[in-house]
Amino acid sequence: MTNNYPEEFQGFGIVDKDDWLHPKKINFKPKEFTPNSVDIKIECCGVCGSDIHCAKSDWSELSHGQVVGHEIIGTVAKIGPDCNTGLKIGDRVGVGAQVFSCLDCDRCKNDNEPYCPKLVTTYSQPYEDGYISQGGYANYIRVHEHFAVPIPEEIPSELAAPLMCGGITVFSPLLRNGCGPGKKVGIVGIGGIGHMGVIFAKALGAEVWAFSRKNNKKEDALKLGADHYVATMEDEDWDKKLFDTFDLVVVCASSLTDIKIDRFVKVMKIGSSIISITAPSREEKLVLNPLGLLGVKIGNSGIGSVKEIKTMLDLVAKKNLKIWVETIPISEKGVNEAFERMESGDVRYRFTLVDYDKEFK
């Protein structure tokens, strides 16, 4: 245990929901420290599309002073007396989009913590005591020890950060739906999450198709490891050409508005799955022809479990996988730049906020 941390934390919070592009530096009280709590001094944090959705109040009304960020890398600064996961002061760990679950229900006991009814997301969700969780655009974060995951030394922090939400969100459905040698897998949407999907699907041994609306990302997709590329708005007959091809398709697009699921159903093998990880604005609806689903499964996937995160990190370390990341120093200006560029699509393909030590002295 160490006393080298503040009683109040600092971070960049949304103080005006109508001016969400300009978070301000604020002080905030952390959640009560419990016997199973861990405090983490944050080194860097990825910028996820969910941060934008939350900041814009796309999913629900935002709390005043909300700090977002759930792709966190840092070092353990304080450990509760009942912690038994083996963490030590100074260990480098990551935190993804979840900071609490009951760990006692059947879902938790079967490595399905993200689907626990008592799940608490890393930011913008109340604990049972009413405290609203605060995220990683801050100097420290306090979480349940179970959700502080050791980071292999082979992975640089700025590359590890986006794996903790974006990476695991696409890795989990690949892992759970049999992606591997002999399988034909499609990744729809080659953006922040989709580009990691291509890297992971290829690393797991599948033959990989990258789907995007236009041809402008073809060169990138092939560099990332895709075996094939499909521009759905420029090839009118793509679904006819690929009829009965795929074992698995993972939809990673940021919006479902332009995704014609009925056409993707045609390219699936019988017994195959289309899994969406898209979390769009609450106004969006998924439209499809139910009779077209004969023999094909369609579903949604949330974030991954701690066990799956460790499996993903092990794969990244062993195969030296490199996602595409641009770093931005954290500050009011830096967060504003990341938000504005994310909104305009000016990112290839993830941002990580860095230089926390310089900003939070």
Side-chain angles (χ1 to χ4, degrees), residues 145-156:
E145 60 166 334
H146 180 77
F147 298 97
V149 182
I151 302 297
E153 63 180 14
E154 296 91 343
I155 309 176

Side-chain angles (χ1 to χ4, degrees), residues 31-40 76 78-80 82-85 87 93-96 98-104 108 113 118 120-122 127 141-149 306:
K31 184 186 181 298
E32 178 187 2
F33 194 85
T34 66
N36 288 105
S37 292
V38 170
D39 277 3
I40 298 164
V76 176
K78 182 179 178 181
I79 300 174
D82 290 351
C83 290
N84 59 10
T85 56
L87 292 175
V93 295
V95 177
Q98 183 176 7
V99 291
F100 183 82
S101 72
C102 76
L103 299 178
D104 193 45
C108 286
E113 308 99 309
K118 294 186 177 181
V120 177
T121 55
T122 303
Y127 284 85
I141 189 168
R142 180 168 293 169
V143 305
H144 188 285
E145 60 166 334
H146 180 77
F147 298 97
V149 182
V306 168

Side-chain angles (χ1 to χ4, degrees), residues 146-171:
H146 180 77
F147 298 97
V149 182
I151 302 297
E153 63 180 14
E154 296 91 343
I155 309 176
S157 293
E158 70 273 13
L159 301 187
L163 300 175
M164 298 307 298
C165 177
I168 191 57
T169 299
V170 70
F171 186 78

